[in-house]
């Protein structure tokens, strides 16, 4: 069967890692017709918009997309393109598996947890106002609808993926109404799952400390948009860095798969970006498309390529002297 998938290569290392993922998916024997779409710098160059309407419409039309990171100017310029894209597509739930891989030098070797992030509300609404000269406010928007939706998604995901515990990270001691709303919704939804899934709440400050000291105590962690991004990056550091964490964002009309890392402008076009986060995002996508066997072969091939520990193959972030191409080739060779 041929699948049609939108491909948004993105900026910086985006085109390098998405083409690596494409090569691996093709080598795994899955037939995909790719619809390449501009966003970010290519959107501005070809359609005078960082987020062209054509790109949004095509993703909704085809239902599935693989995306690279997109750059956003800091402290000025246009808004965050990836956040805007997720909002426009209604991709309210992001799933980020944080899993140790064999052979990777990292602070921990036994991490296996899932971060679930509410993608569309909170401070990610990006609403800022100057209320008086020199006084700026940012609005943290939280609704019962989105908080209940992400809580339901999280418990259902935990149940269907054989997970036993959900922990909500929050600052509801301080933000009693906004973070408090997420807690109230999570507690209410948990009642329907109480016999099957354990539930706990942690003030995020303590949660981060415990995550770094003893990550194996966590199973599924639920967070809001802003803190979800931060904690995902901390968790990536636990298993070997930003090049290791894939993600999937789910909405009612479509699903988007992308590495958690950014465009890495410091290494763009040097051919040394770690492609694994994007390749593993591709594996998550194949599972979504019903290609479970290919997804599992790709995951095993990534593990095998890493466990061989060949310094000439591994990218510099993994301690090697290899390249995006050498690591991608090694994954393809390891496909069984
Ligand atoms: P970043 O993830 O791009 O880079 C942080 C560090 O990690 C850099 O040293 C980089 O070289 C390294 N790194 C990241 N991915 C890597 C990989 N695959 N292999 C090896 N090393 C890797 O984060 P940043 O510097 O905070 O952001 C840079 C740009 O990316 C910004 O414009 C930001 O807006 C954008 N960004 C986009 C997304 C997205 O589109 N999903 C996510 C985060 C950041």
């Amino acid at each position: 069967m041929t699948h049609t998938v939108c491909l948004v290569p993105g900026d910086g290392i985006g085109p390098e890692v998405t083409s690596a993922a494409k090569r691996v998916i093709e080598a795994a024997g899955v037939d995909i017709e790719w619809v390449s779409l501009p966003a970010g710098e290519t959107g501005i160059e070809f359609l005078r918009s960082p987020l062209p309407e054509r790109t949004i419409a095509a993703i909704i039309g085809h239902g599935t997309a693989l995306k690279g990171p997109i750059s956003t100017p800091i402290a000025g310029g246009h808004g965050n393109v990836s956040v805007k894209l997720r909002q426009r597509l209604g991709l309210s739930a992001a799933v980020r598996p944080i899993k140790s891989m064999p052979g990777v030098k990292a602070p921990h070797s036994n991490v296996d947890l899932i971060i679930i992030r509410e993608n569309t509300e909170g401070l990610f609404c990006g609403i800022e106002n100057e209320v008086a000269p020199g006084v700026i406010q940012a609005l943290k928007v939280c609704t019962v609808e989105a908080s209940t939706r992400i809580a339901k998604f999280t418990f259902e995901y935990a149940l269907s993926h054989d997970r036993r515990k959900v922990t909500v990270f929050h600052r509801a001691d301080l933000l009693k109404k906004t973070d408090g709303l997420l807690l109230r919704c999570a507690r209410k939804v948990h009642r329907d799952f109480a016999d099957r899934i354990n539930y706990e709440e942690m003030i995020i400050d303590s949660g981060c400390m415990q995550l770094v000291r003893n990550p194996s105590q966590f199973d599924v962690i639920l967070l809001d948009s802003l803190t979800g991004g931060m904690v995902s990056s901390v968790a990536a550091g636990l298993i070997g860095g930003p090049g290791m964490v894939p993600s999937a964002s789910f909405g009612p009309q479509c699903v988007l798969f992308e590495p958690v890392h950014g465009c890495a402008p410091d290494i763009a076009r040097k051919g040394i970006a770690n492609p694994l986060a994007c390749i593993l995002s591709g594996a998550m996508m194949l599972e979504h498309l019903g290609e479970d066997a290919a997804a599992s072969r790709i995951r095993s091939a990534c593990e095998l390529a890493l466990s061989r520990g060949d310094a000439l193959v591994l990218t510099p972030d993994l301690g090697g002297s290899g390249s995006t191409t050498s690591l991608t080739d090694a994954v393809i060779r390891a496909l069984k």
Side-chain angles (χ1 to χ4, degrees):
M1 176 189 178
T2 303
H3 305 278
T4 304
V5 172
C6 296
L7 181 71
V8 184
D11 300 324
I13 62 171
E16 300 164 49
V17 296
T18 50
S19 66
K22 230 177 111 180
R23 280 187 62 210
V24 172
I25 290 168
E26 278 160 16
V30 182
D31 196 8
I32 292 188
E33 185 192 337
W34 298 95
V35 179
S36 195
L37 299 166
E41 286 163 15
T42 50
I44 294 170
E45 187 182 340
F46 296 115
L47 295 168
R48 287 199 229 128
S49 162
L51 185 53
E53 288 301 319
R54 189 191 298 178
T55 295
I56 296 168
I59 297 175
I60 291 172
H62 293 297
T64 310
L66 181 65
K67 169 185 164 297
I70 297 174
S71 68
T72 298
I74 309 288
H78 61 72
N80 188 298
V81 181
S82 292
V83 171
K84 184 62 85 194
L85 179 64
R86 293 179 203 128
Q87 285 167 340
R88 288 288 308 274
L89 296 173
L91 303 172
S92 55
V95 173
R96 298 171 160 197
I98 312 287
K99 192 170 184 325
S100 299
M101 296 287 254
V104 177
K105 286 195 190 81
H108 292 276
S109 57
N110 58 344
V111 185
D112 180 10
L113 60 92
I114 306 285
I115 288 181
I116 296 186
R117 174 176 92 166
E118 202 295 317
N119 247 350
T120 50
E121 287 199 339
L123 284 166
F124 267 30
C125 288
I127 303 169
E128 294 179 305
N129 298 299
E130 185 164 14
V131 287
V135 182
I136 316 281
Q137 69 175 13
L139 291 187
K140 177 163 170 154
V141 180
C142 302
T143 63
V144 171
E145 189 189 354
S147 301
T148 304
R149 186 171 53 218
I150 193 68
K152 273 190 185 150
F153 179 94
T154 302
F155 286 110
E156 277 162 10
Y157 185 94
L159 198 59
S160 60
H161 289 76
D162 221 12
R163 299 280 173 166
R164 300 268 173 267
K165 184 172 73 168
V166 170
T167 308
V168 184
F169 278 14
H170 67 90
R171 273 313 303 257
D173 55 326
L174 174 73
L175 301 168
K176 295 175 193 290
K177 294 198 172 168
T178 50
D179 282 20
L181 177 61
L182 179 61
L183 290 188
R184 283 193 294 281
C185 293
R187 288 172 194 166
K188 193 170 169 196
V189 173
H190 177 243
R191 282 186 215 139
D192 293 336
F193 296 84
D195 53 334
R196 291 155 295 169
I197 307 281
N198 293 321
Y199 173 73
E200 68 180 357
E201 297 167 355
M202 252 182 223
I203 291 184
I204 190 165
D205 306 39
S206 160
C208 286
M209 182 274 292
Q210 301 213 35
L211 181 63
V212 170
R213 286 189 72 180
N214 178 20
S216 59
Q217 72 183 282
F218 295 106
D219 202 355
V220 177
I221 304 176
L222 168 61
L223 299 112
D224 73 4
S225 55
L226 187 77
T227 58
M230 295 169 183
V231 174
S232 300
S233 288
V234 172
L238 299 177
I239 59 159
M244 305 302 295
V245 182
S247 82
S249 293
F250 295 86
Q253 294 168 293
C254 50
V255 189
L256 183 139
F257 300 85
E258 61 184 322
V260 164
H261 62 71
C263 317
D266 51 335
I267 58 165
R269 289 171 292 281
K270 291 186 181 163
I272 55 168
N274 180 346
L276 292 177
C278 198
I279 292 171
L280 292 168
S281 302
M284 290 177 86
M285 182 185 87
L286 293 185
E287 237 162 36
H288 170 72
L289 293 172
E291 300 280 0
D292 293 35
S296 145
R297 283 173 61 220
I298 289 174
R299 279 204 195 94
S300 301
C302 291
E303 290 183 4
L304 194 57
L306 285 168
S307 63
R308 287 180 176 145
D310 183 348
L312 296 175
V313 160
L314 300 179
T315 45
D317 60 305
L318 297 172
S321 57
S323 64
T324 310
T325 306
S326 64
L327 185 48
T328 308
D329 288 346
V331 172
I332 291 172
R333 279 196 304 276
L335 280 170
K336 285 186 207 134

